[in-house]
């Protein structure tokens, strides 16, 4: 089952395709705002 690398929340394969990079997503609606997702912040790990 696909999940967010940051919080472990469930995400769909389509969500990963749109917001992720390399088959991974480092943020989801559970741990990021829509603005952060729209800005592409889910493609890389936050420090």
């Amino acid at each position: 089952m696909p999940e967010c690398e940051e919080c472990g929340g469930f995400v769909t394969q389509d969500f990963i395709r749109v917001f992720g990079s390399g088959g991974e997503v480092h943020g989801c609606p559970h741990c990021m705002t829509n603005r952060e997702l729209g800005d592409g912040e889910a493609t890389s790990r936050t420090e």
Side-chain angles (χ1 to χ4, degrees):
M1 178 164 57
E3 63 182 38
C4 172
E5 297 291 325
E6 187 68 27
C7 73
F10 171 77
V11 293
T12 64
Q13 289 290 5
D14 287 337
F15 184 87
I16 293 172
R17 180 179 50 80
V18 172
F19 294 104
S21 176
E24 293 183 339
V25 67
H26 298 282
C28 70
H30 299 281
C31 63
M32 289 188 145
T33 65
N34 287 338
R35 182 180 196 123
E36 291 170 328
L37 291 171
D39 288 345
E41 294 183 29
T43 60
S44 62
R45 197 171 289 273
T46 56
E47 307 261 342

